């Protein structure tokens, strides 16, 4: 058995209830169940998580860096869309 | 921690019992740690070190309490590193060699299932400290059982080679399982006082769990399982424990009292 026949999975951890899952890294595993166990051992051993998502890396569709200009630049000069015109209250830390 | 007052005899018996719990955890923890840097995949390397650290953590709590009960000024480190092979009271199963990953997994499953049932019982011990340590261990051991059972299935049902390795592992290890359920006489007073659990009490439950997993995995459990030994209470071990202790204890023997 060697890990090069295993699939690559991307791991997302939710640190607290109410927060969203955040990408933390990847693991090798033969199937989803093993991926969860490996992710648990790799990424939650210091009490980081309350929930784990895994997804096979090959199932992720990414935007093309070559199209970055066309995709993202039009938003840059439209400041009226940017959420910068109000103050976030101190009591709302996670925004 | 409010300690219960025990008679001298009870205290002595309880010290021995708690040492046995600690030795089981430490010896298996040391064995599993031998996979560090050698496991079949990086992910399993970390999984093994997690399992090992859980066990060594449990051992540390039990050693500290054994030292307290013994009341002879011995620390957890003294008990772990300064006792010889014949003073170790672990079950023979946990000191067996790792072999291949399949054998490590089968050994881990057989023992974790035992240790989980024992800890479930000990969580209700009349000794509050034993109950507290056992309770804390239960969560960890539930994961050990799940992890190792998953791997037994995966290997046994995956390929022909995996299947034959798991079968060989159980053939090799099965004879060490009967010792787990041997109610030893020196501990009978502890059982009746509700301080410790007689292993025969949960033997049936263990057998049913183990049988159902191996049946599911298509693995045959050997029919005969009696190992002739006076066992751990007499300080009898297989040849493997001495080598394990030599490696584990080297530093404290060479540099007594050395600390991080």
């Amino acid at each position: 058995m060697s890990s090069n026949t295993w699939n690559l999975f991307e791991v997302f951890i939710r640190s607290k209830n109410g927060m969203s899952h955040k990408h933390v890294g990847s693991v090798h595993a033969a199937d989803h169940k093993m991926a969860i166990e490996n992710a648990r051992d790799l990424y939650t051993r210091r009490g980081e998580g309350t929930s784990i998502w895994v997804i096979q890396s090959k199932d992720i569709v990414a935007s093309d860096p070559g199209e970055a200009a066309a995709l993202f630049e039009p938003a840059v000069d439209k400041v009226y869309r940017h959420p910068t015109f109000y103050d976030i209250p101190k009591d709302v830390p996670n925004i | 921690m409010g300690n219960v007052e025990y008679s001298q005899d009870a205290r002595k018996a309880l010290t021995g019992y708690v040492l046995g719990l600690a030795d089981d955890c430490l010896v298996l923890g040391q064995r599993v740690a031998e996979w560090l840097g050698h496991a079949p995949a990086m992910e399993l390397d970390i999984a093994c070190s997690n399992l090992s650290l859980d066990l060594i953590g449990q051992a540390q709590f039990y050693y500290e309490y054994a030292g307290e009960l013994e009341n002879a000024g011995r620390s957890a480190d003294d008990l772990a590193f300064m006792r010889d092979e014949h003073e170790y009271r672990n079950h023979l199963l946990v000191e067996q060699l790792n072999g291949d990953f399949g054998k490590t997994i089968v050994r881990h499953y057989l023992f974790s299932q035992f240790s989980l049932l024992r800890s479930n019982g000990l969580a209700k011990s009349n000794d509050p400290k034993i109950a507290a340590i056992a309770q804390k261990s239960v969560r960890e051991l539930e994961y050990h059982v799940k992890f190792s059972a998953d791997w037994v299935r995966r290997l046994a049902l995956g390929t022909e080679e995996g299947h034959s390795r798991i079968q060989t592992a159980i053939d090799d290890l099965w004879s060490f399982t009967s010792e787990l359920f041997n109610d030893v006489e020196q501990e009978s007073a502890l059982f009746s006082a509700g301080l410790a659990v007689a292993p025969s009490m949960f033997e049936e439950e263990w057998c049913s769990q183990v049988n159902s997993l191996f049946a599911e995995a298509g693995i045959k459990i050997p029919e005969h399982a009696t190992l002739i030994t006076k066992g751990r209470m007499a300080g009898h071990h297989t040849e493997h424990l001495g080598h394990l202790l030599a490696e584990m204890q080297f530093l404290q023997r060479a540099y007594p009292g050395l600390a991080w």
Side-chain angles (χ1 to χ4, degrees):
Chain A
M1 177 173 53
S2 91
S3 58
N4 61 19
T5 60
W6 290 2
N7 298 311
L8 191 64
F9 290 81
E10 298 302 320
V11 181
F12 301 78
I13 305 278
R14 182 168 69 193
S15 55
K16 276 192 271 183
N17 282 331
M19 304 281 286
S20 48
H21 287 73
K22 280 216 170 69
H23 185 239
V24 292
S26 53
V27 291
H28 287 98
D31 53 34
H32 286 91
K33 197 174 179 191
M34 195 197 290
I36 292 271
E37 285 175 9
N38 288 347
R40 178 259 188 199
D41 280 329
L42 226 64
Y43 295 112
T44 69
R45 51 193 310 221
R46 295 179 188 88
E48 295 95 331
T50 58
S51 165
I52 302 173
W53 284 353
V54 293
I55 181 172
Q56 272 207 42
S57 308
K58 69 177 174 59
D59 291 333
I60 290 187
V61 181
S63 59
D64 180 353
E67 290 174 9
L71 286 172
F72 307 120
E73 263 177 34
V76 173
D77 60 357
K78 297 182 177 62
V79 286
Y80 49 88
R81 291 184 190 164
H82 299 182
T84 49
F85 295 101
Y86 55 87
D87 296 322
I88 295 167
K90 271 203 207 89
D91 299 339
V92 186
N94 296 313
I95 209 163
Chain B
M1 180 75 61
N3 282 334
V4 189
E5 285 301 319
Y6 293 115
S7 70
Q8 206 168 356
D9 282 350
R11 181 176 277 269
K12 198 170 164 219
L14 196 59
T15 307
Y17 181 76
V18 175
L19 268 180
L21 298 174
D23 291 342
D24 271 346
C25 299
L26 183 64
V27 170
L28 187 60
Q30 173 73 12
R31 272 280 180 251
V32 176
E34 289 170 11
W35 278 105
L36 265 183
H38 302 283
M42 190 270 280
E43 283 79 357
L44 292 175
D45 223 86
I46 296 184
C48 286
S49 65
N50 281 351
L51 299 179
S52 169
L53 287 173
D54 284 349
L55 290 165
I56 291 171
Q58 293 167 18
Q60 188 177 359
F61 285 122
Y62 284 127
Y63 280 132
E64 273 166 14
Y65 187 42
E68 218 175 281
L69 283 167
E70 188 189 47
N71 204 14
R74 288 205 284 182
S75 68
D77 276 3
D78 293 336
L79 292 169
F81 297 121
M82 297 302 188
R83 280 181 312 137
D84 288 331
E85 187 184 351
H86 69 273
E87 297 168 279
Y88 263 74
R89 287 169 173 246
N90 60 283
H91 292 93
L92 302 184
L93 176 66
V94 294
E95 70 196 39
Q96 298 311 303
L97 296 175
N98 282 342
D100 56 22
F101 190 68
K103 187 171 176 187
T104 295
I105 283 297
V106 169
R107 185 190 59 201
H108 209 82
Y109 174 72
L110 296 172
F111 181 77
S112 306
Q113 187 68 73
F114 164 80
S115 186
L116 175 60
L117 293 169
R118 180 170 67 178
S119 302
N120 270 329
L122 289 176
K124 297 180 210 99
S125 166
N126 288 330
D127 183 289
K129 200 136 184 187
I130 292 180
I133 301 170
Q135 221 155 22
K136 189 178 179 303
S137 313
V138 163
R139 285 272 170 266
E140 295 173 345
L141 292 167
E142 280 171 347
Y143 187 76
H144 289 220
V145 169
K146 177 183 146 51
F147 178 87
S148 53
D150 280 350
W151 269 101
V152 166
R153 287 187 200 98
R154 213 170 260 137
L155 292 172
L157 299 170
T159 61
E160 228 167 86
E161 183 178 356
H163 190 272
S164 88
R165 287 189 185 220
I166 295 292
Q167 185 64 61
T168 307
I170 193 113
D171 293 344
D172 285 355
L173 293 170
W174 190 250
S175 57
F176 297 105
T177 58
S178 62
E179 188 198 12
L180 299 174
F181 300 103
N182 191 6
D183 292 346
V184 299
E185 212 186 302
Q186 295 94 316
E187 295 170 349
S188 62
L190 302 174
F191 302 148
S192 51
L195 298 169
V197 256
S200 60
M201 298 293 286
F202 52 87
E203 180 172 10
E204 208 175 307
E205 170 70 10
W206 183 87
C207 287
S208 107
Q209 297 283 355
V210 168
N211 286 333
S212 92
L213 174 69
F214 286 101
E216 184 193 339
I219 296 291
K220 281 193 216 73
I221 288 179
E223 281 174 19
H224 300 289
T226 318
L227 193 73
I228 301 161
T229 171
K230 287 187 181 162
R232 61 199 184 92
M233 301 308 282
H236 289 201
H237 288 280
T238 55
E239 66 192 277
H240 308 303
L241 182 66
H243 296 283
L244 179 144
L245 293 182
E247 185 173 317
M248 187 183 79
Q249 297 183 333
F250 161 76
L251 208 66
Q252 281 300 318
R253 300 279 184 160
Y255 305 96
L258 188 73
W260 286 104

